[in-house]
Amino acid sequence: MNTIFDFTVKDRKGKPVALKGYAGEVLLIVNTATKCGFTPQYEELERLYEKYHSKGFEILDFPCNQFGQQAPGTDESIHQFCKLTYGTEFPRFKKIKVNGDDADPVYKYLKEQKGFAGWDMTHPLAHILDDMLRKEDAEYDQKPDIKWNFTKFLTDKRGLVVARFEPTESIENIEKAITELL
């Protein structure tokens, strides 16, 4: 697999979606959760989507229940929550795993391309996450695994992974990176 466009994923109803259908677009790929301290980021993500979608930008939302069981429910109930609570319009896919042997192949690829980039320690939740994860594994920050919900990967129009943003990254920095690629 050379680019993100080489993969096929499942939509929330279980139908295959070839990511090559997004070729030529800038993608922000996000693992999400509906019951997380970062869940309000859906609002910021939808704002980015509305602002740049017509310019060739797409957000791909992959719910994941691996971090504190914070994405409970069915694919459809998660979708309804996001639509009703945050008015999201970007594509939402089937709930997946992002870490471990049974991680979705898309996420295995993304992590190979961009490892953990560190927290923005000015974010109020950064120290809490760092303390919690360091207690579990003193060297957690040396591994490429996804650390928490709302980790974002940015791909360019050719499908190459150009950046990874941890959930503590400011939306302004993410938006700047998106506009540079558009």
Side-chain angles (χ1 to χ4, degrees), residues 32-69:
T32 61
T34 54
K35 307 254 187 259
C36 175
F38 293 107
T39 301
Q41 286 188 14
Y42 268 123
E43 200 170 302
E44 297 172 332
L45 291 170
E46 181 58 24
R47 203 167 54 249
L48 285 177
Y49 184 73
E50 289 172 9
K51 193 170 179 181
Y52 298 109
H53 182 248
S54 65
K55 296 177 169 107
F57 172 66
E58 194 67 69
I59 295 173
L60 307 184
D61 176 354
F62 290 91
C64 175
N65 201 33
Q66 282 187 287
F67 306 99
Q69 307 299 297

PDB file of all heavy atoms in Angstrom, residues 32-69:
ATOM      1  N   THR A  32     -12.861   8.895  16.267  1.00  0.00           N
ATOM      2  CA  THR A  32     -13.722   9.714  17.118  1.00  0.00           C
ATOM      3  C   THR A  32     -14.426   8.898  18.193  1.00  0.00           C
ATOM      4  O   THR A  32     -14.433   7.664  18.159  1.00  0.00           O
ATOM      5  CB  THR A  32     -14.793  10.414  16.257  1.00  0.00           C
ATOM      6  OG1 THR A  32     -15.580   9.407  15.613  1.00  0.00           O
ATOM      7  CG2 THR A  32     -14.168  11.349  15.232  1.00  0.00           C
ATOM      8  N   ALA A  33     -15.039   9.616  19.118  1.00  0.00           N
ATOM      9  CA  ALA A  33     -15.838   9.012  20.181  1.00  0.00           C
ATOM     10  C   ALA A  33     -16.891  10.027  20.609  1.00  0.00           C
ATOM     11  O   ALA A  33     -16.638  11.229  20.599  1.00  0.00           O
ATOM     12  CB  ALA A  33     -14.960   8.628  21.365  1.00  0.00           C
ATOM     13  N   THR A  34     -18.045   9.531  20.988  1.00  0.00           N
ATOM     14  CA  THR A  34     -19.159  10.417  21.323  1.00  0.00           C
ATOM     15  C   THR A  34     -19.244  10.788  22.802  1.00  0.00           C
ATOM     16  O   THR A  34     -20.007  11.667  23.170  1.00  0.00           O
ATOM     17  CB  THR A  34     -20.488   9.760  20.910  1.00  0.00           C
ATOM     18  OG1 THR A  34     -20.554   8.459  21.495  1.00  0.00           O
ATOM     19  CG2 THR A  34     -20.595   9.653  19.391  1.00  0.00           C
ATOM     20  N   LYS A  35     -18.458  10.116  23.651  1.00  0.00           N
ATOM     21  CA  LYS A  35     -18.550  10.370  25.099  1.00  0.00           C
ATOM     22  C   LYS A  35     -17.180  10.737  25.676  1.00  0.00           C
ATOM     23  O   LYS A  35     -16.806  10.302  26.759  1.00  0.00           O
ATOM     24  CB  LYS A  35     -19.085   9.132  25.821  1.00  0.00           C
ATOM     25  CG  LYS A  35     -20.381   8.609  25.264  1.00  0.00           C
ATOM     26  CD  LYS A  35     -21.521   8.927  26.181  1.00  0.00           C
ATOM     27  CE  LYS A  35     -22.796   8.272  25.740  1.00  0.00           C
ATOM     28  NZ  LYS A  35     -23.711   9.145  25.055  1.00  0.00           N
ATOM     29  N   CYS A  36     -16.433  11.554  24.943  1.00  0.00           N
ATOM     30  CA  CYS A  36     -15.057  11.883  25.294  1.00  0.00           C
ATOM     31  C   CYS A  36     -14.952  13.377  25.618  1.00  0.00           C
ATOM     32  O   CYS A  36     -15.753  14.181  25.140  1.00  0.00           O
ATOM     33  CB  CYS A  36     -14.164  11.526  24.091  1.00  0.00           C
ATOM     34  SG  CYS A  36     -12.437  11.977  24.241  1.00  0.00           S
ATOM     35  N   GLY A  37     -13.945  13.731  26.394  1.00  0.00           N
ATOM     36  CA  GLY A  37     -13.684  15.145  26.658  1.00  0.00           C
ATOM     37  C   GLY A  37     -13.388  15.930  25.389  1.00  0.00           C
ATOM     38  O   GLY A  37     -13.556  17.147  25.348  1.00  0.00           O
ATOM     39  N   PHE A  38     -12.968  15.234  24.340  1.00  0.00           N
ATOM     40  CA  PHE A  38     -12.671  15.887  23.062  1.00  0.00           C
ATOM     41  C   PHE A  38     -13.853  15.876  22.095  1.00  0.00           C
ATOM     42  O   PHE A  38     -13.766  16.433  21.004  1.00  0.00           O
ATOM     43  CB  PHE A  38     -11.467  15.215  22.389  1.00  0.00           C
ATOM     44  CG  PHE A  38     -10.177  15.417  23.122  1.00  0.00           C
ATOM     45  CD1 PHE A  38      -9.588  14.367  23.825  1.00  0.00           C
ATOM     46  CD2 PHE A  38      -9.528  16.650  23.127  1.00  0.00           C
ATOM     47  CE1 PHE A  38      -8.391  14.548  24.503  1.00  0.00           C
ATOM     48  CE2 PHE A  38      -8.334  16.837  23.796  1.00  0.00           C
ATOM     49  CZ  PHE A  38      -7.764  15.787  24.494  1.00  0.00           C
ATOM     50  N   THR A  39     -14.971  15.252  22.464  1.00  0.00           N
ATOM     51  CA  THR A  39     -16.123  15.146  21.572  1.00  0.00           C
ATOM     52  C   THR A  39     -16.578  16.498  21.019  1.00  0.00           C
ATOM     53  O   THR A  39     -16.955  16.576  19.847  1.00  0.00           O
ATOM     54  CB  THR A  39     -17.282  14.391  22.259  1.00  0.00           C
ATOM     55  OG1 THR A  39     -16.815  13.088  22.613  1.00  0.00           O
ATOM     56  CG2 THR A  39     -18.491  14.255  21.356  1.00  0.00           C
ATOM     57  N   PRO A  40     -16.522  17.595  21.786  1.00  0.00           N
ATOM     58  CA  PRO A  40     -16.905  18.891  21.205  1.00  0.00           C
ATOM     59  C   PRO A  40     -16.070  19.301  19.978  1.00  0.00           C
ATOM     60  O   PRO A  40     -16.454  20.227  19.261  1.00  0.00           O
ATOM     61  CB  PRO A  40     -16.724  19.868  22.365  1.00  0.00           C
ATOM     62  CG  PRO A  40     -16.940  19.024  23.586  1.00  0.00           C
ATOM     63  CD  PRO A  40     -16.323  17.694  23.237  1.00  0.00           C
ATOM     64  N   GLN A  41     -14.967  18.598  19.718  1.00  0.00           N
ATOM     65  CA  GLN A  41     -14.206  18.894  18.507  1.00  0.00           C
ATOM     66  C   GLN A  41     -15.027  18.621  17.245  1.00  0.00           C
ATOM     67  O   GLN A  41     -14.695  19.132  16.172  1.00  0.00           O
ATOM     68  CB  GLN A  41     -12.898  18.088  18.468  1.00  0.00           C
ATOM     69  CG  GLN A  41     -11.855  18.605  19.436  1.00  0.00           C
ATOM     70  CD  GLN A  41     -10.508  17.929  19.258  1.00  0.00           C
ATOM     71  OE1 GLN A  41     -10.239  17.247  18.274  1.00  0.00           O
ATOM     72  NE2 GLN A  41      -9.641  18.135  20.234  1.00  0.00           N
ATOM     73  N   TYR A  42     -16.094  17.846  17.370  1.00  0.00           N
ATOM     74  CA  TYR A  42     -16.984  17.641  16.222  1.00  0.00           C
ATOM     75  C   TYR A  42     -17.443  18.995  15.665  1.00  0.00           C
ATOM     76  O   TYR A  42     -17.578  19.169  14.462  1.00  0.00           O
ATOM     77  CB  TYR A  42     -18.216  16.820  16.618  1.00  0.00           C
ATOM     78  CG  TYR A  42     -18.064  15.334  16.426  1.00  0.00           C
ATOM     79  CD1 TYR A  42     -18.249  14.457  17.487  1.00  0.00           C
ATOM     80  CD2 TYR A  42     -17.796  14.795  15.167  1.00  0.00           C
ATOM     81  CE1 TYR A  42     -18.155  13.089  17.302  1.00  0.00           C
ATOM     82  CE2 TYR A  42     -17.694  13.422  14.979  1.00  0.00           C
ATOM     83  CZ  TYR A  42     -17.876  12.575  16.058  1.00  0.00           C
ATOM     84  OH  TYR A  42     -17.777  11.214  15.868  1.00  0.00           O
ATOM     85  N   GLU A  43     -17.689  19.938  16.562  1.00  0.00           N
ATOM     86  CA  GLU A  43     -18.143  21.266  16.138  1.00  0.00           C
ATOM     87  C   GLU A  43     -17.075  21.963  15.292  1.00  0.00           C
ATOM     88  O   GLU A  43     -17.369  22.513  14.227  1.00  0.00           O
ATOM     89  CB  GLU A  43     -18.467  22.092  17.386  1.00  0.00           C
ATOM     90  CG  GLU A  43     -19.353  23.264  17.141  1.00  0.00           C
ATOM     91  CD  GLU A  43     -19.820  23.873  18.452  1.00  0.00           C
ATOM     92  OE1 GLU A  43     -20.447  23.160  19.262  1.00  0.00           O
ATOM     93  OE2 GLU A  43     -19.533  25.065  18.658  1.00  0.00           O
ATOM     94  N   GLU A  44     -15.822  21.912  15.749  1.00  0.00           N
ATOM     95  CA  GLU A  44     -14.716  22.515  15.001  1.00  0.00           C
ATOM     96  C   GLU A  44     -14.497  21.792  13.678  1.00  0.00           C
ATOM     97  O   GLU A  44     -14.224  22.427  12.650  1.00  0.00           O
ATOM     98  CB  GLU A  44     -13.422  22.461  15.818  1.00  0.00           C
ATOM     99  CG  GLU A  44     -13.462  23.250  17.105  1.00  0.00           C
ATOM    100  CD  GLU A  44     -12.228  23.019  17.975  1.00  0.00           C
ATOM    101  OE1 GLU A  44     -11.612  21.932  17.901  1.00  0.00           O
ATOM    102  OE2 GLU A  44     -11.888  23.944  18.735  1.00  0.00           O
ATOM    103  N   LEU A  45     -14.605  20.466  13.696  1.00  0.00           N
ATOM    104  CA  LEU A  45     -14.420  19.691  12.473  1.00  0.00           C
ATOM    105  C   LEU A  45     -15.505  20.033  11.451  1.00  0.00           C
ATOM    106  O   LEU A  45     -15.215  20.216  10.265  1.00  0.00           O
ATOM    107  CB  LEU A  45     -14.430  18.190  12.781  1.00  0.00           C
ATOM    108  CG  LEU A  45     -13.225  17.670  13.562  1.00  0.00           C
ATOM    109  CD1 LEU A  45     -13.459  16.234  14.010  1.00  0.00           C
ATOM    110  CD2 LEU A  45     -11.943  17.781  12.751  1.00  0.00           C
ATOM    111  N   GLU A  46     -16.737  20.151  11.897  1.00  0.00           N
ATOM    112  CA  GLU A  46     -17.822  20.499  10.978  1.00  0.00           C
ATOM    113  C   GLU A  46     -17.612  21.896  10.394  1.00  0.00           C
ATOM    114  O   GLU A  46     -17.874  22.126   9.215  1.00  0.00           O
ATOM    115  CB  GLU A  46     -19.184  20.398  11.679  1.00  0.00           C
ATOM    116  CG  GLU A  46     -20.370  20.730  10.780  1.00  0.00           C
ATOM    117  CD  GLU A  46     -20.503  19.869   9.525  1.00  0.00           C
ATOM    118  OE1 GLU A  46     -20.003  18.726   9.495  1.00  0.00           O
ATOM    119  OE2 GLU A  46     -21.103  20.352   8.550  1.00  0.00           O
ATOM    120  N   ARG A  47     -17.113  22.805  11.199  1.00  0.00           N
ATOM    121  CA  ARG A  47     -16.828  24.162  10.705  1.00  0.00           C
ATOM    122  C   ARG A  47     -15.767  24.116   9.588  1.00  0.00           C
ATOM    123  O   ARG A  47     -15.917  24.756   8.550  1.00  0.00           O
ATOM    124  CB  ARG A  47     -16.386  25.066  11.859  1.00  0.00           C
ATOM    125  CG  ARG A  47     -16.594  26.526  11.593  1.00  0.00           C
ATOM    126  CD  ARG A  47     -16.466  27.428  12.806  1.00  0.00           C
ATOM    127  NE  ARG A  47     -15.212  27.270  13.531  1.00  0.00           N
ATOM    128  CZ  ARG A  47     -15.111  26.747  14.750  1.00  0.00           C
ATOM    129  NH1 ARG A  47     -16.176  26.342  15.398  1.00  0.00           N
ATOM    130  NH2 ARG A  47     -13.945  26.642  15.327  1.00  0.00           N
ATOM    131  N   LEU A  48     -14.706  23.322   9.806  1.00  0.00           N
ATOM    132  CA  LEU A  48     -13.678  23.149   8.762  1.00  0.00           C
ATOM    133  C   LEU A  48     -14.294  22.528   7.506  1.00  0.00           C
ATOM    134  O   LEU A  48     -13.990  22.945   6.386  1.00  0.00           O
ATOM    135  CB  LEU A  48     -12.551  22.239   9.253  1.00  0.00           C
ATOM    136  CG  LEU A  48     -11.546  22.799  10.241  1.00  0.00           C
ATOM    137  CD1 LEU A  48     -10.555  21.711  10.642  1.00  0.00           C
ATOM    138  CD2 LEU A  48     -10.813  23.995   9.658  1.00  0.00           C
ATOM    139  N   TYR A  49     -15.123  21.527   7.714  1.00  0.00           N
ATOM    140  CA  TYR A  49     -15.753  20.831   6.602  1.00  0.00           C
ATOM    141  C   TYR A  49     -16.594  21.806   5.769  1.00  0.00           C
ATOM    142  O   TYR A  49     -16.488  21.846   4.539  1.00  0.00           O
ATOM    143  CB  TYR A  49     -16.610  19.689   7.139  1.00  0.00           C
ATOM    144  CG  TYR A  49     -17.227  18.836   6.068  1.00  0.00           C
ATOM    145  CD1 TYR A  49     -16.457  17.943   5.333  1.00  0.00           C
ATOM    146  CD2 TYR A  49     -18.589  18.899   5.801  1.00  0.00           C
ATOM    147  CE1 TYR A  49     -17.022  17.138   4.352  1.00  0.00           C
ATOM    148  CE2 TYR A  49     -19.164  18.102   4.824  1.00  0.00           C
ATOM    149  CZ  TYR A  49     -18.373  17.235   4.108  1.00  0.00           C
ATOM    150  OH  TYR A  49     -18.935  16.435   3.137  1.00  0.00           O
ATOM    151  N   GLU A  50     -17.415  22.586   6.439  1.00  0.00           N
ATOM    152  CA  GLU A  50     -18.272  23.549   5.738  1.00  0.00           C
ATOM    153  C   GLU A  50     -17.438  24.585   4.985  1.00  0.00           C
ATOM    154  O   GLU A  50     -17.782  24.982   3.879  1.00  0.00           O
ATOM    155  CB  GLU A  50     -19.215  24.245   6.723  1.00  0.00           C
ATOM    156  CG  GLU A  50     -20.294  23.331   7.246  1.00  0.00           C
ATOM    157  CD  GLU A  50     -21.117  23.950   8.371  1.00  0.00           C
ATOM    158  OE1 GLU A  50     -20.960  25.163   8.650  1.00  0.00           O
ATOM    159  OE2 GLU A  50     -21.916  23.208   8.971  1.00  0.00           O
ATOM    160  N   LYS A  51     -16.336  25.001   5.576  1.00  0.00           N
ATOM    161  CA  LYS A  51     -15.497  26.052   4.997  1.00  0.00           C
ATOM    162  C   LYS A  51     -14.705  25.572   3.777  1.00  0.00           C
ATOM    163  O   LYS A  51     -14.530  26.321   2.823  1.00  0.00           O
ATOM    164  CB  LYS A  51     -14.542  26.568   6.085  1.00  0.00           C
ATOM    165  CG  LYS A  51     -13.825  27.844   5.759  1.00  0.00           C
ATOM    166  CD  LYS A  51     -13.113  28.354   7.008  1.00  0.00           C
ATOM    167  CE  LYS A  51     -12.347  29.620   6.755  1.00  0.00           C
ATOM    168  NZ  LYS A  51     -11.658  30.074   7.973  1.00  0.00           N
ATOM    169  N   TYR A  52     -14.227  24.318   3.808  1.00  0.00           N
ATOM    170  CA  TYR A  52     -13.295  23.868   2.777  1.00  0.00           C
ATOM    171  C   TYR A  52     -13.777  22.716   1.901  1.00  0.00           C
ATOM    172  O   TYR A  52     -13.100  22.358   0.935  1.00  0.00           O
ATOM    173  CB  TYR A  52     -11.951  23.481   3.434  1.00  0.00           C
ATOM    174  CG  TYR A  52     -11.294  24.640   4.129  1.00  0.00           C
ATOM    175  CD1 TYR A  52     -11.231  24.705   5.512  1.00  0.00           C
ATOM    176  CD2 TYR A  52     -10.754  25.695   3.400  1.00  0.00           C
ATOM    177  CE1 TYR A  52     -10.642  25.782   6.157  1.00  0.00           C
ATOM    178  CE2 TYR A  52     -10.163  26.778   4.029  1.00  0.00           C
ATOM    179  CZ  TYR A  52     -10.115  26.816   5.407  1.00  0.00           C
ATOM    180  OH  TYR A  52      -9.538  27.889   6.034  1.00  0.00           O
ATOM    181  N   HIS A  53     -14.922  22.140   2.206  1.00  0.00           N
ATOM    182  CA  HIS A  53     -15.381  20.987   1.440  1.00  0.00           C
ATOM    183  C   HIS A  53     -15.488  21.295  -0.053  1.00  0.00           C
ATOM    184  O   HIS A  53     -15.062  20.500  -0.896  1.00  0.00           O
ATOM    185  CB  HIS A  53     -16.714  20.462   1.984  1.00  0.00           C
ATOM    186  CG  HIS A  53     -17.203  19.252   1.281  1.00  0.00           C
ATOM    187  ND1 HIS A  53     -18.324  19.244   0.494  1.00  0.00           N
ATOM    188  CD2 HIS A  53     -16.689  17.992   1.207  1.00  0.00           C
ATOM    189  CE1 HIS A  53     -18.490  18.046  -0.019  1.00  0.00           C
ATOM    190  NE2 HIS A  53     -17.518  17.264   0.390  1.00  0.00           N
ATOM    191  N   SER A  54     -16.022  22.440  -0.394  1.00  0.00           N
ATOM    192  CA  SER A  54     -16.195  22.797  -1.806  1.00  0.00           C
ATOM    193  C   SER A  54     -14.861  23.060  -2.508  1.00  0.00           C
ATOM    194  O   SER A  54     -14.803  23.132  -3.733  1.00  0.00           O
ATOM    195  CB  SER A  54     -17.104  24.025  -1.943  1.00  0.00           C
ATOM    196  OG  SER A  54     -16.474  25.153  -1.362  1.00  0.00           O
ATOM    197  N   LYS A  55     -13.785  23.171  -1.726  1.00  0.00           N
ATOM    198  CA  LYS A  55     -12.451  23.413  -2.297  1.00  0.00           C
ATOM    199  C   LYS A  55     -11.634  22.129  -2.429  1.00  0.00           C
ATOM    200  O   LYS A  55     -10.447  22.178  -2.721  1.00  0.00           O
ATOM    201  CB  LYS A  55     -11.706  24.430  -1.427  1.00  0.00           C
ATOM    202  CG  LYS A  55     -12.376  25.793  -1.403  1.00  0.00           C
ATOM    203  CD  LYS A  55     -11.648  26.746  -0.477  1.00  0.00           C
ATOM    204  CE  LYS A  55     -12.163  28.141  -0.665  1.00  0.00           C
ATOM    205  NZ  LYS A  55     -12.983  28.623   0.417  1.00  0.00           N
ATOM    206  N   GLY A  56     -12.259  20.969  -2.160  1.00  0.00           N
ATOM    207  CA  GLY A  56     -11.549  19.703  -2.313  1.00  0.00           C
ATOM    208  C   GLY A  56     -11.042  19.119  -1.006  1.00  0.00           C
ATOM    209  O   GLY A  56     -10.038  18.415  -0.976  1.00  0.00           O
ATOM    210  N   PHE A  57     -11.766  19.377   0.092  1.00  0.00           N
ATOM    211  CA  PHE A  57     -11.389  18.879   1.421  1.00  0.00           C
ATOM    212  C   PHE A  57     -12.477  17.933   1.921  1.00  0.00           C
ATOM    213  O   PHE A  57     -13.662  18.200   1.775  1.00  0.00           O
ATOM    214  CB  PHE A  57     -11.229  20.054   2.380  1.00  0.00           C
ATOM    215  CG  PHE A  57     -11.038  19.669   3.813  1.00  0.00           C
ATOM    216  CD1 PHE A  57      -9.893  19.003   4.220  1.00  0.00           C
ATOM    217  CD2 PHE A  57     -11.998  19.970   4.767  1.00  0.00           C
ATOM    218  CE1 PHE A  57      -9.705  18.636   5.554  1.00  0.00           C
ATOM    219  CE2 PHE A  57     -11.822  19.617   6.097  1.00  0.00           C
ATOM    220  CZ  PHE A  57     -10.666  18.953   6.483  1.00  0.00           C
ATOM    221  N   GLU A  58     -12.042  16.832   2.523  1.00  0.00           N
ATOM    222  CA  GLU A  58     -12.976  15.842   3.061  1.00  0.00           C
ATOM    223  C   GLU A  58     -12.500  15.384   4.430  1.00  0.00           C
ATOM    224  O   GLU A  58     -11.296  15.260   4.664  1.00  0.00           O
ATOM    225  CB  GLU A  58     -13.037  14.645   2.114  1.00  0.00           C
ATOM    226  CG  GLU A  58     -14.183  13.716   2.351  1.00  0.00           C
ATOM    227  CD  GLU A  58     -15.538  14.320   2.052  1.00  0.00           C
ATOM    228  OE1 GLU A  58     -15.851  14.569   0.877  1.00  0.00           O
ATOM    229  OE2 GLU A  58     -16.296  14.534   3.020  1.00  0.00           O
ATOM    230  N   ILE A  59     -13.443  15.154   5.332  1.00  0.00           N
ATOM    231  CA  ILE A  59     -13.151  14.573   6.642  1.00  0.00           C
ATOM    232  C   ILE A  59     -13.724  13.163   6.649  1.00  0.00           C
ATOM    233  O   ILE A  59     -14.880  12.962   6.268  1.00  0.00           O
ATOM    234  CB  ILE A  59     -13.764  15.408   7.784  1.00  0.00           C
ATOM    235  CG1 ILE A  59     -13.113  16.787   7.844  1.00  0.00           C
ATOM    236  CG2 ILE A  59     -13.618  14.671   9.130  1.00  0.00           C
ATOM    237  CD1 ILE A  59     -13.764  17.752   8.831  1.00  0.00           C
ATOM    238  N   LEU A  60     -12.915  12.189   7.062  1.00  0.00           N
ATOM    239  CA  LEU A  60     -13.371  10.804   7.185  1.00  0.00           C
ATOM    240  C   LEU A  60     -13.375  10.446   8.663  1.00  0.00           C
ATOM    241  O   LEU A  60     -12.338  10.451   9.320  1.00  0.00           O
ATOM    242  CB  LEU A  60     -12.451   9.866   6.400  1.00  0.00           C
ATOM    243  CG  LEU A  60     -12.206  10.212   4.924  1.00  0.00           C
ATOM    244  CD1 LEU A  60     -11.359   9.132   4.272  1.00  0.00           C
ATOM    245  CD2 LEU A  60     -13.500  10.426   4.163  1.00  0.00           C
ATOM    246  N   ASP A  61     -14.553  10.146   9.174  1.00  0.00           N
ATOM    247  CA  ASP A  61     -14.781   9.923  10.607  1.00  0.00           C
ATOM    248  C   ASP A  61     -14.896   8.423  10.880  1.00  0.00           C
ATOM    249  O   ASP A  61     -15.790   7.766  10.363  1.00  0.00           O
ATOM    250  CB  ASP A  61     -16.070  10.655  10.988  1.00  0.00           C
ATOM    251  CG  ASP A  61     -16.496  10.450  12.423  1.00  0.00           C
ATOM    252  OD1 ASP A  61     -15.883   9.660  13.157  1.00  0.00           O
ATOM    253  OD2 ASP A  61     -17.494  11.098  12.821  1.00  0.00           O
ATOM    254  N   PHE A  62     -13.973   7.924  11.709  1.00  0.00           N
ATOM    255  CA  PHE A  62     -13.977   6.512  12.103  1.00  0.00           C
ATOM    256  C   PHE A  62     -14.197   6.400  13.612  1.00  0.00           C
ATOM    257  O   PHE A  62     -13.257   6.544  14.392  1.00  0.00           O
ATOM    258  CB  PHE A  62     -12.649   5.853  11.728  1.00  0.00           C
ATOM    259  CG  PHE A  62     -12.458   5.686  10.248  1.00  0.00           C
ATOM    260  CD1 PHE A  62     -11.831   6.664   9.503  1.00  0.00           C
ATOM    261  CD2 PHE A  62     -12.927   4.546   9.607  1.00  0.00           C
ATOM    262  CE1 PHE A  62     -11.667   6.519   8.130  1.00  0.00           C
ATOM    263  CE2 PHE A  62     -12.769   4.386   8.239  1.00  0.00           C
ATOM    264  CZ  PHE A  62     -12.135   5.377   7.498  1.00  0.00           C
ATOM    265  N   PRO A  63     -15.431   6.151  14.048  1.00  0.00           N
ATOM    266  CA  PRO A  63     -15.662   5.954  15.480  1.00  0.00           C
ATOM    267  C   PRO A  63     -14.827   4.775  15.999  1.00  0.00           C
ATOM    268  O   PRO A  63     -14.606   3.798  15.288  1.00  0.00           O
ATOM    269  CB  PRO A  63     -17.156   5.635  15.561  1.00  0.00           C
ATOM    270  CG  PRO A  63     -17.740   6.230  14.321  1.00  0.00           C
ATOM    271  CD  PRO A  63     -16.666   6.081  13.279  1.00  0.00           C
ATOM    272  N   CYS A  64     -14.361   4.925  17.241  1.00  0.00           N
ATOM    273  CA  CYS A  64     -13.512   3.903  17.852  1.00  0.00           C
ATOM    274  C   CYS A  64     -13.819   3.841  19.340  1.00  0.00           C
ATOM    275  O   CYS A  64     -13.852   4.879  20.007  1.00  0.00           O
ATOM    276  CB  CYS A  64     -12.039   4.262  17.612  1.00  0.00           C
ATOM    277  SG  CYS A  64     -10.889   3.153  18.431  1.00  0.00           S
ATOM    278  N   ASN A  65     -14.016   2.644  19.857  1.00  0.00           N
ATOM    279  CA  ASN A  65     -14.392   2.453  21.264  1.00  0.00           C
ATOM    280  C   ASN A  65     -13.212   1.962  22.113  1.00  0.00           C
ATOM    281  O   ASN A  65     -13.403   1.467  23.213  1.00  0.00           O
ATOM    282  CB  ASN A  65     -15.562   1.457  21.335  1.00  0.00           C
ATOM    283  CG  ASN A  65     -16.338   1.559  22.621  1.00  0.00           C
ATOM    284  OD1 ASN A  65     -16.477   2.637  23.197  1.00  0.00           O
ATOM    285  ND2 ASN A  65     -16.844   0.435  23.094  1.00  0.00           N
ATOM    286  N   GLN A  66     -11.980   2.096  21.611  1.00  0.00           N
ATOM    287  CA  GLN A  66     -10.817   1.535  22.312  1.00  0.00           C
ATOM    288  C   GLN A  66     -10.300   2.381  23.469  1.00  0.00           C
ATOM    289  O   GLN A  66      -9.499   1.897  24.245  1.00  0.00           O
ATOM    290  CB  GLN A  66      -9.674   1.312  21.316  1.00  0.00           C
ATOM    291  CG  GLN A  66      -9.851   0.070  20.484  1.00  0.00           C
ATOM    292  CD  GLN A  66      -8.636  -0.224  19.636  1.00  0.00           C
ATOM    293  OE1 GLN A  66      -8.376   0.454  18.659  1.00  0.00           O
ATOM    294  NE2 GLN A  66      -7.886  -1.233  20.031  1.00  0.00           N
ATOM    295  N   PHE A  67     -10.722   3.624  23.564  1.00  0.00           N
ATOM    296  CA  PHE A  67     -10.166   4.506  24.591  1.00  0.00           C
ATOM    297  C   PHE A  67     -11.243   4.837  25.610  1.00  0.00           C
ATOM    298  O   PHE A  67     -12.099   5.685  25.371  1.00  0.00           O
ATOM    299  CB  PHE A  67      -9.587   5.775  23.946  1.00  0.00           C
ATOM    300  CG  PHE A  67      -8.588   5.448  22.863  1.00  0.00           C
ATOM    301  CD1 PHE A  67      -8.956   5.465  21.535  1.00  0.00           C
ATOM    302  CD2 PHE A  67      -7.300   5.055  23.198  1.00  0.00           C
ATOM    303  CE1 PHE A  67      -8.048   5.123  20.543  1.00  0.00           C
ATOM    304  CE2 PHE A  67      -6.392   4.712  22.214  1.00  0.00           C
ATOM    305  CZ  PHE A  67      -6.768   4.743  20.877  1.00  0.00           C
ATOM    306  N   GLY A  68     -11.211   4.153  26.729  1.00  0.00           N
ATOM    307  CA  GLY A  68     -12.175   4.392  27.796  1.00  0.00           C
ATOM    308  C   GLY A  68     -13.604   4.032  27.419  1.00  0.00           C
ATOM    309  O   GLY A  68     -14.535   4.532  28.038  1.00  0.00           O
ATOM    310  N   GLN A  69     -13.777   3.169  26.406  1.00  0.00           N
ATOM    311  CA  GLN A  69     -15.122   2.766  25.966  1.00  0.00           C
ATOM    312  C   GLN A  69     -16.006   3.998  25.739  1.00  0.00           C
ATOM    313  O   GLN A  69     -17.173   4.029  26.134  1.00  0.00           O
ATOM    314  CB  GLN A  69     -15.766   1.818  26.998  1.00  0.00           C
ATOM    315  CG  GLN A  69     -14.911   0.613  27.352  1.00  0.00           C
ATOM    316  CD  GLN A  69     -14.620  -0.278  26.151  1.00  0.00           C
ATOM    317  OE1 GLN A  69     -15.524  -0.844  25.573  1.00  0.00           O
ATOM    318  NE2 GLN A  69     -13.369  -0.394  25.759  1.00  0.00           N
TER     319      GLN A  69
END
